[in-house]
Every structure is written in structure tokens, then in C-alpha cells.
Amino acid sequence: MKRENQCINEMIQKMPLEQKIGALLTLGFCGTTPRQHIYDAILKYHCGGLRLTPSSRLFGSYVDPKTGKNVVNVVDTKGYKAGVNPPSVTPSEYRAILTELQKAAQSRPLGLPLHFSFDQEGGTSADYRFGGVNIFPKPMGLRATGDPKLAYEAAKAVSQQSLAVGFNWMHSPVLDVNCEPNNPEIYTRAYSDDAEEIAAYAEQSCRGFKEAGMIATGKHFPGRGASAQDAHFSIPQIDADWDTLWNRELLPYRRLIEKGLLPSIMIAHSIFPALDPDNVATVSPKILQGLLREKMGFEGVITTDSMTMGGIALRYGVANACAMALEAGADLVLMKAENSLVGETVDAIRSFVESGRISMEALDDKVYRVLNLKYEYGMFHAKAEQSAAPETYIHDARIQALSRLVAKKSVLIQRDADGVFPLGKQEKILVAEQMTQSPNNIHWHPGMLFRYCMEGGANVDYLETDFDYTQEDKDALEANLQQYDTVVITSYYIRGKNGNAAYLEELLRNHADKTFILVTNTPYPLSIPKNAHNILLTLATSPDNIKCAAKVLYGDMQPEGQYPVRYRMTFED
């Protein structure tokens, strides 16, 4: 590869091996209080960046929702106890924390800046969700607007809000083609099940990210939409043939690479027999080098997905898999565990370099790609404390109006077999609402659908349930049904949860005389029982989409969303 940036070349010449290894590591920072191991990650292990998860105090082990068992143990036995929320912060307070971590990085030899990566796909998949930040729907919600330019505007607004805090490397857009309706991992995180539409909307998203100065990451290469397995717990196998992969899964990547809109790409922990029958894509030279680099001409940064996910970790071991991924052609490894796995990962990579499995030339190429991308996006000169306060963007009337507009144009009525929309203002309504993954502040909290329904109707009661129903929740539903004319009941799906679709099918069958309206966030059987007659599709559980849903229920707003996928459920009448 050509290394034309002499400033970066001079830095690399001055870096000892441990600093080069560290530059290729994205380690994890959970919560809002940096502990000693975070400073060790920066000063001892010279990490290139941190994956930020401010919504919880510690990274939990991946628990298979089907079995309830830990898949990979990432718990630090000397650390925090699970089940406690991290200290709450304002966006400005969190920016101050990130600024201090950058100062620690600047004290290192050469003062190489940290990248702060995060998920902000939309809806519940949002690491920045505090302080009243405007949350847009997941990609499928953007597609439901029917206007790719809104994807551009949303990406720009998300970036402006996030960059002001210090986030600078986004693990979006999702380029998976969700052609498997029972996909438990991708679902509405994809724009659509149509590759052409994904390419069109993702192009506009990437243009918004780039214009705002946010590093975008296309994922999950080559494509994880055709699987009914979740890579967090096992290794999905995508059995599509070469022609299908090229014209479906790879089409969005091809388009965006050709247009220079993908600065980085994240690799899927999946097996693609048509490409490499023996190796998970993350550690496959055939896929990373032969396909992505050579055939598709990608010159940007290749990053792994989280290396503590069950599929990859169980097959190869976390530390070994990190080294294998770099050997195969990755430039960055995402290793979020805050325990002994950090040191083990560094040791494994060093062993691969010292044994020649990763040559010094290949190592320097990887460091160059990572540092040069940071240079191109201004990280070597960025001073977040000199920019406008994050709250300035949160309260920006233009961004707030855009959030409301996207919500209005993404919510839709998927089915109205009983002709129940809109509800009568005096109709006696029960809102049975799940507790979702909200930050539980005044801006976004449990009971938001009920809160907004109270504004629409004068006769509304509330029944709160766990996200996955307990027996107590089921008993309460059964005990209260007969008191109401209509039951508005949420049936949301979130990755890693079981959801309640199977139970709701039974409930609706046993109470066929009762009118139910299902408020759901996916168009799939993941969240919709096959005997549901009345379905309001929100495509997000975030505040503006839920407010719009309540307005649609009471006829105070006409839904403008377009059905976003070619797939259509078959219902029982």
C-alpha cells in the first residue's frame, strides 16, 4: 500500500512495538466513571481508542435468551456489582470526562489521540441517549420515510449532537440486507430487505456523516441479514451462493466503496461457505484480503466486531481471535472486556508479530491506516472543549423539528382488520406497556406511550410489564382485560430478549371477543403474532416515535410512514 502522509510515517518510525500494537486496539469504557484500568488501557497498553457504553457500569457477559446461560464470561470479579446504574451525567459533564481521557492520551509518547467509538443506529441501539438528545429511529424507520434525503439530514444531526460530546467514530451504517424475517440480530437495524434501497439510503447517511466530520463504519461485512441466528451467541452460517452474495449482500458495499463513502468497514462474525468454508469471516484472509481489499478495492480501515461475542470467542478464544483477525487483514480489533482479557490480547498479538505471523510491514500498514484516518478527520488537532456545548445541539430547533418529522414519516398502520383506528376520545382504554431499554429520565422513560395517550384520551388506564412477561404480568393482563373496551398492548422486540409474541398469540386467541391494538417496533413475526388484527408499527421505541404513535391512535395525526420491506406477514383471519 502507499503511505503518502509523511507526518504519519514519521510517527510510525518512532513507535516501539507495544505502541503499534496498542494503536490497533479499541478497548472498552463502560459507565461514566473512569477507573484505574481505563487509564491502564491508555497509558500501559497504549490503546488507540475506547468503545463507549455510558448507559451501564460494566460490560455484562452475553446471555443466550433461549437458554439463560452465559456464553462468554467477561466479568471482572474485583469490579462493580451488576444491576446498578452508572452515575447520571449531562452531555457536558460526559464531554469533560472524555476530555480528561484525551489529556491522558496526549501525555503519552507522540501524544496520539484516542478515537471514541459508539453505536448510534437509532431507537434503543444508541449509546448516547442521555440529556434529552434527539433519538432518531433505526435504519428501517428512515427507509419508512420514503425520502433518502431525510437519512442524510438525520445522519448529519446525529453526528453534530455526538461530536459535540466527543464521540467521533460511529459503528454505522448497517448495510445488512435483512432478507430473513426471523433474523434475531439485524431486523430493523437494516434499512430494508432490498439491496438497492439499502444502497440508496446508506449513501445519504454516509454523506451526512462525512459532511459533519463523523467516521462512519459499514457493517457487518459481507452481510449478516440472511441468518436466523445471533452471532452474539453462536456463529451464523450464510449459505447464499457467490452470485447472490455479489448482487445482494455486497451491493451496498460496492456502491459506497466506489463513491468513497466508507472510511471503515466492520466484519461479521459469520461463516460464508461460498467465500471461505473453513473460517469465520473475521479471521478469513480470503474475505478480508482476497475479497474486500483486492477484488472490491477497499483501502480504508477494517475493524472487527466485538471479539467477546459468543460465536467468535467460543471457536477461537478471545485473545487468539484478536491476533488472528489482524493476521487475516483487519486493522482494528474491538475488544470491550474490562478484565484480564486486555493483557492476554496484547500478549497474543505480540506473539504473532514476534513469530512472524504478522510481519512488521503489515503491522505498520495497519497502524498507518488507523492513524491516517484519524488525521484526515482532524483528530490530531481537535479540541472538543472549544466547540459549542452539546446542549446547544440538543436544543437546536432545526434538529428537534427534524426528529419530529422523521418520526411522523416513519410511523404507520400495518394492519387495521377491525377498523379500530382512530380510538374514541371517551373510549375506556387500557395501555399495557413494556418497560424498554430507556435511560429513565424525564426525556425518555417507562410509560411514555401511556403518558402521551393521556393527552389524547380522557379515559386511559395503565398496566406496566417487564419487557419479557413474568407470570405476574400475564396474570395481571388476564385479570384486567374485561374492564376495558380496547386494550392497547405493546409488543416490542430488542436483540437479546425473547419478546412476547408467542404469548400474545395465545392471549389474542383466548380473548377473541376483545379488541386489541398491537403497538410494535418491527414488521416481523419476532414481535407480531399471526392472529393480530390491528397493528401500529412504530419502528422505534424512542420518544418522538412513541409520541407520534399515541397521536395516530387517537386520530390527532395521520401516519405518513411507508411499509419499508418487501416481506409481508401472512395473518390468520
Side-chain angles (χ1 to χ4, degrees):
M1 64 172 286
K2 294 182 179 180
R3 300 188 215 154
E4 298 178 344
N5 188 328
Q6 291 307 311
C7 178
I8 300 300
N9 287 332
E10 291 173 7
M11 290 181 186
I12 293 173
Q13 291 174 3
K14 297 176 183 178
M15 296 171 69
L17 178 59
E18 60 268 22
Q19 289 181 24
K20 293 180 180 180
I21 292 172
L24 309 182
L25 297 176
T26 304
L27 300 179
F29 169 32
C30 236
T32 56
T33 306
R35 291 178 285 159
Q36 182 58 47
H37 68 274
I38 299 301
Y39 289 96
D40 288 345
I42 298 169
L43 301 174
K44 178 180 178 181
Y45 295 114
H46 312 281
C47 73
L50 295 170
R51 170 62 160 77
L52 304 176
T53 308
S55 60
S56 58
R57 290 203 307 170
L58 73 168
F59 289 110
S61 301
Y62 290 114
V63 179
D64 190 329
K66 295 181 180 179
T67 65
K69 295 181 179 179
N70 283 0
V71 179
V72 179
N73 186 9
V74 299
V75 173
D76 182 355
T77 57
K78 301 190 297 295
Y80 289 145
K81 186 176 178 61
V84 179
N85 290 328
S88 60
V89 291
T90 67
S92 288
E93 289 168 341
Y94 193 67
R95 181 170 79 172
I97 293 167
L98 299 186
T99 300
E100 286 303 310
L101 295 179
Q102 282 290 17
K103 287 180 180 178
Q106 290 167 1
S107 74
R108 303 182 296 189
L110 302 177
L112 299 178
L114 296 168
H115 60 267
F116 290 125
S117 61
F118 69 127
D119 270 351
Q120 200 76 4
E121 297 168 6
T124 53
S125 183
D127 288 316
Y128 178 21
R129 60 172 84 174
F130 50 89
V133 62
N134 298 280
I135 302 289
F136 290 83
K138 284 187 170 71
M140 196 170 286
L142 296 174
R143 164 60 191 89
T145 67
D147 186 354
K149 291 184 179 179
L150 286 177
Y152 161 80
E153 295 290 351
K156 192 173 177 181
V158 167
S159 299
Q160 290 169 333
Q161 292 180 108
S162 303
L163 286 164
V165 178
F167 302 98
N168 50 34
W169 196 316
M170 181 177 293
H171 289 160
S172 289
V174 176
L175 301 180
D176 298 315
V177 183
N178 198 65
C179 49
E180 169 51 66
N182 292 309
N183 192 314
E185 180 180 9
I186 304 304
Y187 61 110
T188 58
R189 297 169 66 201
Y191 291 93
S192 176
D193 54 6
D194 184 303
E196 291 283 356
E197 290 187 349
I198 290 169
Y201 280 81
E203 176 181 339
Q204 292 303 317
S205 291
C206 285
R207 291 190 186 281
F209 295 140
K210 186 174 184 177
E211 186 172 319
M214 176 68 71
I215 296 176
T217 307
K219 65 182 183 185
H220 309 80
F221 185 88
R224 205 152 66 206
S227 171
Q229 291 177 278
D230 188 332
H232 292 80
F233 313 115
S234 61
I235 298 177
Q237 179 167 305
I238 312 299
D239 288 320
D241 59 29
W242 164 251
D243 287 342
T244 300
L245 290 170
W246 184 252
N247 293 304
R248 187 179 68 189
E249 273 75 10
L250 295 173
L251 185 144
Y253 291 97
R254 289 161 46 206
R255 297 276 175 82
L256 295 177
I257 290 171
E258 288 169 2
K259 295 180 180 183
L261 291 172
L262 277 183
S264 83
I265 287 176
M266 178 180 284
I267 306 301
H269 296 324
S270 304
I271 290 180
F272 299 81
L275 305 176
D276 185 343
D278 302 316
N279 297 296
V280 175
T282 311
V283 298
S284 170
K286 292 180 180 178
I287 293 176
L288 274 63
Q289 296 182 42
L291 175 60
L292 185 52
R293 290 281 188 221
E294 297 169 15
K295 186 172 181 62
M296 299 178 67
F298 180 64
E299 298 178 351
V301 171
I302 298 175
T303 181
T304 73
D305 204 341
S306 173
M307 299 301 284
T308 57
M309 289 167 61
I312 192 80
L314 292 176
R315 189 178 181 105
Y316 302 106
V318 173
N320 185 55
C322 290
M324 290 177 67
L326 293 175
E327 178 187 28
D331 303 306
L332 269 177
V333 291
L334 174 58
M335 211 294 294
K336 297 190 291 184
E338 297 178 295
N339 59 11
S340 60
L341 283 171
V342 176
E344 293 170 17
T345 296
V346 171
D347 290 343
I349 296 170
R350 181 185 297 109
S351 174
F352 271 50
V353 174
E354 292 175 345
S355 68
R357 291 182 66 173
I358 300 174
S359 70
M360 286 304 301
E361 181 180 3
L363 186 71
D364 287 352
D365 283 346
K366 298 174 192 300
V367 175
Y368 180 90
R369 287 192 193 96
V370 173
L371 295 186
N372 189 57
L373 184 57
K374 293 182 180 183
Y375 187 94
E376 289 178 347
Y377 276 77
M379 289 190 201
F380 282 85
H381 311 295
K383 293 186 180 297
E385 65 272 16
Q386 295 180 358
S387 64
E391 290 79 6
T392 301
Y393 294 96
I394 292 174
H395 300 305
D396 186 309
R398 181 188 58 82
I399 292 178
Q400 291 178 334
L402 177 66
S403 179
R404 293 191 297 268
L405 176 64
V406 171
K408 179 181 180 182
K409 287 184 172 292
S410 58
V411 172
L412 64 136
I413 295 172
Q414 182 169 343
R415 194 171 194 229
D416 187 12
D418 297 336
V420 297
F421 295 96
L423 296 171
K425 299 288 187 179
Q426 299 301 318
E427 194 172 343
K428 192 174 183 183
I429 305 297
L430 175 67
V431 175
E433 186 174 353
Q434 296 159 283
M435 290 187 289
T436 61
Q437 295 177 343
S438 70
N440 195 22
N441 56 39
I442 194 62
H443 309 286
W444 190 4
H445 55 79
M448 289 205 77
L449 179 62
F450 170 63
R451 167 187 166 185
Y452 292 126
C453 280
M454 285 194 297
E455 296 177 5
N459 203 356
V460 185
D461 284 340
Y462 180 45
L463 178 62
E464 187 169 88
T465 71
D466 282 353
F467 190 87
D468 291 333
Y469 289 161
T470 64
Q471 187 58 51
E472 181 181 3
D473 294 329
K474 296 175 183 178
D475 292 343
L477 276 169
E478 296 281 356
N480 283 283
L481 288 179
Q482 298 308 321
Q483 304 174 40
Y484 298 91
D485 302 321
T486 300
V487 177
V488 175
I489 190 166
T490 64
S491 183
Y492 300 134
Y493 177 83
I494 296 175
R495 184 195 59 74
K497 302 283 189 180
N498 284 319
N500 303 305
Y503 170 74
L504 289 176
E505 180 179 333
E506 177 185 345
L507 182 73
L508 269 58
R509 182 168 289 113
N510 292 340
H511 297 276
D513 60 328
K514 182 61 59 178
T515 299
F516 291 90
I517 296 177
L518 214 68
V519 178
T520 185
N521 62 334
T522 93
Y524 298 122
L526 294 167
S527 64
I528 302 175
K530 59 187 177 183
N531 56 348
H533 283 197
N534 314 298
I535 304 167
L536 179 57
L537 180 58
T538 68
L539 292 166
T541 59
S542 43
D544 279 336
N545 281 63
I546 296 305
K547 186 172 186 176
C548 284
K551 287 181 176 292
V552 170
L553 281 171
Y554 281 97
D556 296 322
M557 189 190 85
Q558 289 298 313
E560 298 181 17
Q562 298 180 7
Y563 192 72
V565 289
R566 293 180 294 181
Y567 167 79
R568 297 276 178 171
M569 273 193 70
T570 301
F571 291 101
E572 293 179 355
D573 291 327

